[in-house]
Each structure stands twice: as C-alpha cells, then as structure tokens.
Amino acid sequence: MNRHVIILFIALLPLRSIAFALSHEEARKAFEGALEDENKTELLLDNLSGTLSDPVLIAYRAATEALMGKFSYLPWNKYSWCKQSMTTFREAVAADPGNIEIRYLRIAIQINLPSILNMSGDIVEDKKNILQNLDKSNNPAQQNKIASFLLNNVACTDTEKFVLKK
C-alpha cells in the first residue's frame, strides 16, 4: 500500500462512527439479539464504540458493556465491564436526564447485577423518573414495553402500578 493511501485511510477513520451510526431502532433490535449471544454482543459494542453524541446510543453502549461482563469468564473482567457500564450510564443520564429509555436500560441492567457488586443504587431514582416522564414519550410501543417491564420486574406501589397501567 502506498503512503498516500495509508494517510487517507487514517484520516477517514473518524468518519467510520459517523457513517455506520446506528439508529435507536437498530440499536434496540441489535441489543435484543445480543442478550444471549456473545458474538452479537461484541459486534454491537464495536458498532457503538468511538465518540457518540446521542445519549440513547450511549446508554445502549453502557448496557452492552454490562453484557460483556455477563460473557466474561474471569470475575475481575466481569467486575470491570460492569463498572465501565455504570460510568457510561452516568454519562448518558447526565446528557438526557428525562429520557425514559436510558433510565429503563439502566434499571434493566442494575436489577440483574449481583448485589455484592453494589452497583444497583439507581433503581429507585430511575423508576421515579420513568413514572414522571412515561406519558411524555411519543413512542407507544416503547412506553408499553417499559411499563410492562417495571410492573413485572420492579417493586411498585399500588399508585405506581396504576400509573403504569394507563
């Protein structure tokens, strides 16, 4: 390969993340497919690597990082992936605090983490935020999915259940 081609290739590398950026729907589908498949998880993480400006995609990267922990064999690697996931979730939440999809993803990960990791401290806050913002979503399918998830997986008061069943 001549020198100019190599320089051009290196110069265009940052455009890779722009050219192949996933949509929210593509990220949702890819994440669902990655839940039980290590190869799909690695591929999704690769597709979500680099600089992301979309908070929802940052949250999907965080959730995918946690999945990498699920597929890791060594306890230290599991812990490191989960710790990285929580850092990335904080970035996503800070960028869009009222986004119910970001909060849903974080709850979904945190309720499945072993309590010994002490990384499940945002569940109450996220549930409260989702309850406050659920009716502001303009994606009825996503609203129903999140409401159903909370009803089936997170302890809710009767008042919270009423809000979720609307």
Side-chain angles (χ1 to χ4, degrees):
M1 215 183 257
N2 77 34
R3 185 173 164 223
H4 297 304
V5 172
I6 293 172
I7 292 171
L8 179 62
F9 176 74
I10 291 171
L12 293 176
L13 276 177
L15 295 178
R16 178 190 172 276
S17 62
I18 295 168
F20 297 108
L22 297 173
S23 70
H24 291 183
E25 190 58 35
E26 290 169 330
R28 284 181 200 115
K29 286 179 182 176
F31 185 73
E32 290 293 326
L35 288 172
E36 300 299 328
D37 187 319
E38 184 176 4
N39 292 327
K40 289 181 181 179
T41 300
E42 290 173 358
L43 180 62
L44 179 56
L45 187 60
D46 185 50
N47 286 326
L48 292 169
S49 65
T51 303
L52 295 173
S53 59
D54 184 319
V56 172
L57 294 180
I58 293 169
Y60 275 101
R61 178 172 55 206
T64 305
E65 289 167 347
L67 279 182
M68 289 296 293
K70 172 184 173 179
F71 294 118
S72 295
Y73 296 106
L74 299 174
W76 177 252
N77 290 342
K78 288 179 178 291
Y79 177 78
S80 295
W81 277 115
C82 290
K83 190 170 173 83
Q84 178 59 48
S85 172
M86 292 306 114
T87 299
T88 306
F89 268 125
R90 279 192 295 280
E91 179 186 344
V93 169
D96 192 355
N99 188 299
I100 62 171
E101 187 166 9
I102 293 169
R103 301 297 186 128
Y104 156 71
L105 286 168
R106 186 162 71 171
I107 283 179
I109 294 300
Q110 287 189 358
I111 67 168
N112 286 296
L113 291 176
S115 60
I116 195 167
L117 294 178
N118 198 27
M119 292 184 194
S120 300
D122 300 303
I123 294 171
V124 172
E125 174 194 334
D126 289 344
K127 179 177 74 166
K128 179 181 175 184
N129 188 283
I130 289 170
L131 289 165
Q132 290 173 344
N133 293 300
L134 190 62
D135 61 344
K136 296 174 187 166
S137 171
N138 47 358
N139 184 336
Q142 193 68 2
Q143 270 181 311
N144 291 336
K145 180 179 180 176
I146 293 170
S148 177
F149 177 84
L150 288 180
L151 286 168
N152 293 316
N153 296 288
V154 179
C156 296
T157 66
D158 288 339
T159 304
E160 291 169 340
K161 289 177 185 177
F162 178 77
V163 170
L164 293 168
K165 289 180 181 179
K166 282 189 196 177

